[in-house]
Amino acid sequence: MAKTVQEVDQVVIRFAGDSGDGMQVTGDRFTNATAVLGNDLATLPDFPAEIRAPAGTLFGVSGFQLHFADHDILTPGDAPNVLVAMNPAALKTNISDLLPGGTLIVNSDAFDDRSLAKAEYANNPLTDGSLAGYEVYEVPLNKLTLGALEGITGLTQKDMLRSKNMFALGLLSWMFSRPTDGSEGWIRDKFGKSPEVAEANLRAFRAGIAFGETTEVFTHSFVIKPAQLDPGTYRNITGNQAITLGLVAASVRSGLQLVLAGYPITPASDVLHELARHKQFGIKTMQCEDEIASAAAALGASFAGSLGVTVTSGPGLDLKSETIGLAVSVELPLVVLDIQRAGPSTGMPTKTEQGDLLHAMFGRHGEAPVAILAASSPADCFDIVLEAARLALKYRTPVIVLSDAFLATGSEPWKLPDVESLPDLTTAFEFATGPNHEGEFWPFLRDEETLARPWAIPGTPGLEHRIGGIEKHDGTGDISYDPENHHRMTLLRAQKIAGISKDIPRLEVDDPSGSAETLVLAWGSTFGPVRAACKRLRNNNVNVAHAHLRHMNPFPSNLGEVLHGYKRVIVPENNMGQLLKLVRAEFLVDAQGINKVAGAPFKAAELTQALEAHMEIPR
């Protein structure tokens, strides 16, 4: 039977199965093959916090969603067109998201009585008619995988069945015309130390392709043309990878040794792991005994003349607070990376949330202001880290960078920058070299423009000085309990941070009509869903403006002017309204919030509906 090829402009695929079924690996490999073809893409990995939940249970399901297209896209997709379910639990937890009439590919071998019971199915959904609204393909993945691996010695049947995700990858690669050479090369590299395992995965992958080509079950495949991206060299990148490369670039462009200290915590650990691979740039990484030690080590590195960085998530930011306050007091550069996750306490470690903005702003004792930045996309994590390094070095201040689990593990195409076009961070600072006040060295004699104090490397002759957490006398740095001096030093530290607003871009507003009465103000990872929702409204002839904040403290100098230029201000956040509180308090605008605290990012459709409700647009 001749098979047809259908051209489509975009597809959303979700792979779902047990944590041990390799869904993250499968999704990631499919994503990389898609990136090679030049499609625009966005991904949403979703996995449980448990290291290995009981197989076949509902809370042990791991998923990976990929949206790819022949045009610019902004989100991982609201709902999948195609769902690959490796077992009944994966089907039950994901089927409600599949679009009506969508394609469902199930591993029919997994739908035995025991697995159905674990997934809390009273009846087999493959036979009870409950899936009648979908295009269902029952594929005996276990049987087909074992058949493809027949004759391989040294592997048990259980070992062989671990390759069924590669069969699924091969089938989907055929179905959506993905290139196969890269995947085969990746399999050889990944499993090269175990030749029989590599052979099993290669055979399973090729068998999946052959099954798609030869079976009568599938009558057609699909093709999605490359997107029209700006000319250049691209790679697929996650937010944590982008942060890592941003840190490398900050070290190279500043000429400083970068020292990153951290303690393992989801979803931030990958930054430490990735950066440890780049020691050829003179970068130092250390896994400390706890979060407090890692913050202290990073601050100590900055004291010694390096660029100190520490990485964590919300629970670790709690523990680092005193050391961040010390960095405010001694006025040294320090970059603090907070990869936010759902809380409070342990919360949902692998789920996303924007819950730490107010903590970053106020979560220290005393008056201890710091600069705060927030990345808007996985690729933007690279640029935001460079900006954090620039501000930390120039103003001798801690800078907190807010990313989150959605950005950290999600991915998108990233255009490799020209290194020489990146900011020259050597101009952001200079080390003190000698006396600066009547033959003496005053460690708190400030730069008139930035209010930054001198940065003196310990051991430099003539620059001996006292430093510590106790309040210091303005200029000399001597210990001081004088009330007026403490008041003055408190004001100076606040003025230094406030002055950064003159050194950052003015807030840009996306308002094509120029006549919108509603402004949607957002920050961080909500960028894609908010921009997509605004585009949908405009396509329905609804004028709406969108402004997105990357500098959270201080705010851009024109934020108040922007806010007061609109009749209605709406602030969508993955929290209970933290930016909303800040803008209402500081600018006295009657802004309204749209809040979602579900461990998942906004969908463009739900934001569109919520915005329509706030704007009182009839549906």
Side-chain angles (χ1 to χ4, degrees):
M1 180 181 64
K3 299 196 176 187
T4 59
V5 178
Q6 180 181 349
E7 184 177 321
V8 294
D9 62 355
Q10 62 181 325
V11 175
V12 179
I13 299 175
R14 184 181 299 174
F15 298 92
D18 265 331
S19 294
D21 282 337
M23 295 296 93
Q24 302 304 318
V25 171
T26 305
D28 187 63
R29 184 58 243 159
F30 192 92
T31 298
N32 286 332
T34 296
V36 168
L37 275 182
N39 297 127
D40 195 17
L41 62 89
T43 69
L44 177 60
D46 183 26
F47 43 89
E50 290 79 9
I51 294 175
R52 184 61 61 85
T57 57
L58 297 175
F59 55 87
V61 174
S62 176
F64 189 104
Q65 184 162 304
L66 165 68
H67 181 194
F68 58 107
D70 65 3
H71 56 274
D72 179 44
I73 58 175
L74 295 164
T75 74
D78 286 355
N81 308 101
V82 180
L83 172 63
V84 180
M86 303 294 280
N87 62 17
L91 177 64
K92 188 163 193 177
T93 55
N94 289 276
I95 189 62
S96 61
D97 291 335
L98 185 61
L99 288 171
T103 299
L104 173 62
I105 301 172
V106 296
N107 175 16
S108 56
D109 286 337
F111 283 70
D112 54 52
D113 291 342
R114 185 166 179 267
S115 297
L116 289 167
K118 282 186 178 181
E120 301 176 11
Y121 271 118
N123 301 298
N124 189 338
L126 302 184
T127 59
D128 68 1
S130 60
L131 302 177
Y134 307 102
E135 188 175 4
V136 182
Y137 296 97
E138 298 182 31
V139 181
L141 281 177
N142 293 13
K143 178 181 177 182
L144 292 170
T145 301
L146 292 175
L149 306 190
E150 189 175 347
I152 297 180
T153 59
L155 295 179
T156 65
Q157 184 177 96
K158 184 178 180 180
D159 293 332
M160 292 182 181
L161 286 175
R162 291 196 180 104
S163 300
K164 65 179 180 289
N165 65 320
M166 290 296 104
F167 189 102
L169 176 63
L171 175 59
L172 271 292
S173 296
W174 168 82
M175 182 178 291
F176 292 99
S177 309
R178 302 295 92 182
T180 59
D181 289 347
S183 294
E184 291 199 4
W186 173 84
I187 289 171
R188 293 190 189 95
D189 291 341
K190 182 172 180 64
F191 302 107
K193 294 182 179 179
S194 302
E196 65 280 1
V197 175
E199 177 65 17
N201 282 279
L202 272 173
R203 282 203 202 177
F205 177 69
R206 290 168 178 168
I209 296 171
F211 180 76
E213 291 175 340
T214 59
T215 182
E216 295 185 1
V217 174
F218 296 96
T219 59
H220 56 272
S221 60
F222 302 89
V223 64
I224 298 92
K225 290 183 177 180
Q228 297 299 311
L229 304 175
D230 291 337
T233 302
Y234 288 79
R235 60 160 287 182
N236 184 48
I237 199 166
T238 66
N240 278 352
Q241 290 170 337
I243 283 176
T244 300
L245 295 179
L247 293 175
V248 173
S251 178
V252 172
R253 297 297 287 171
S254 67
L256 295 174
Q257 181 182 68
L258 187 139
V259 178
L260 182 137
Y263 180 77
I265 184 170
T266 301
S269 299
D270 282 345
V271 174
L272 180 59
H273 301 159
E274 288 282 335
L275 195 61
R277 300 173 183 174
H278 297 288
K279 293 181 179 178
Q280 71 270 29
F281 293 99
I283 288 169
K284 302 292 185 186
T285 57
M286 62 178 77
Q287 178 179 315
C288 298
E289 63 266 30
D290 55 43
E291 296 282 7
I292 299 172
S294 66
L299 182 57
S302 289
F303 175 60
S306 297
L307 177 54
V309 183
T310 187
V311 60
T312 190
S313 189
L317 189 64
D318 299 344
L319 297 169
K320 295 181 191 293
S321 291
E322 184 178 1
T323 303
I324 296 172
L326 175 60
V328 172
S329 177
V330 298
E331 301 188 47
L332 284 170
L334 177 68
V335 176
V336 181
L337 305 170
D338 176 19
I339 318 301
Q340 301 167 96
R341 71 189 205 188
S345 187
T346 308
M348 298 191 293
T350 60
K351 309 302 180 184
T352 196
E353 195 169 292
Q354 292 180 294
D356 297 348
L357 176 57
L358 293 183
H359 185 174
M361 189 75 73
F362 304 117
R364 291 161 298 282
H365 62 282
E367 296 288 341
V370 301
I372 305 170
L373 304 176
S376 61
S377 71
D380 185 48
C381 289
F382 176 87
D383 296 315
I384 213 75
V385 165
L386 276 172
E387 174 69 349
R390 183 184 74 86
L391 295 179
L393 293 170
K394 185 173 182 178
Y395 292 90
R396 317 285 198 273
T397 179
V399 178
I400 297 178
V401 175
L402 297 175
S403 177
D404 58 38
F406 177 32
L407 299 182
T409 58
S411 65
E412 66 179 347
W414 175 57
K415 183 181 178 181
L416 273 61
D418 175 11
V419 174
E420 295 305 316
S421 70
L422 297 177
D424 180 4
L425 299 185
T426 63
T427 63
F429 71 98
E430 59 182 18
F431 291 115
T433 57
N436 59 4
H437 182 78
E438 299 179 357
E440 298 180 354
F441 175 68
W442 281 18
F444 284 87
L445 188 67
R446 300 176 184 277
D447 180 274
E448 291 184 1
E449 179 184 353
T450 65
L451 297 183
R453 77 171 187 87
W455 191 4
I457 297 178
T460 305
L463 303 187
E464 295 84 2
H465 62 282
R466 179 184 289 111
I467 197 168
I470 296 178
E471 185 62 281
K472 293 149 286 290
H473 187 275
D474 181 26
T476 67
D478 294 336
I479 290 175
S480 174
Y481 287 94
D482 178 67
E484 291 185 3
N485 177 76
H486 177 54
H487 183 77
R488 174 174 172 77
M489 292 294 279
T490 300
L491 290 178
L492 284 170
R493 290 188 288 259
Q495 289 167 6
K496 181 174 68 171
I497 299 302
I500 293 174
S501 64
K502 297 177 293 186
D503 195 18
I504 61 177
R506 289 167 60 85
L507 182 64
E508 295 184 359
V509 181
D510 178 37
D511 185 1
S513 71
S515 60
E517 294 186 343
T518 298
L519 172 71
V520 184
L521 179 69
W523 69 279
S525 63
T526 60
F527 173 80
V530 169
R531 182 59 61 92
C534 290
K535 288 179 69 174
R536 293 186 183 193
L537 288 170
R538 291 169 191 157
N539 289 339
N540 291 327
N541 298 315
V542 177
N543 288 336
V544 62
H546 172 211
H548 203 83
L549 289 169
R550 296 169 74 245
H551 292 84
M552 310 304 297
N553 193 43
F555 288 131
S557 59
N558 65 326
L559 176 56
E561 175 189 338
V562 168
L563 293 174
H564 288 289
Y566 289 89
K567 177 181 178 181
R568 183 185 296 108
V569 177
I570 304 173
V571 185
E573 299 181 79
N574 286 131
N575 57 44
M576 293 303 291
Q578 297 190 18
L579 175 61
L580 179 68
K581 289 181 173 66
L582 294 175
V583 297
R584 286 174 66 96
E586 183 162 345
F587 301 105
L588 302 179
V589 294
D590 186 23
Q592 301 299 312
I594 298 174
N595 308 107
K596 179 177 181 178
V597 191
F602 282 109
K603 295 179 180 179
E606 67 182 340
L607 262 182
T608 303
Q609 185 174 353
L611 289 170
E612 288 175 337
H614 275 277
M615 298 167 69
E616 299 179 351
I617 298 172
R619 293 180 58 82

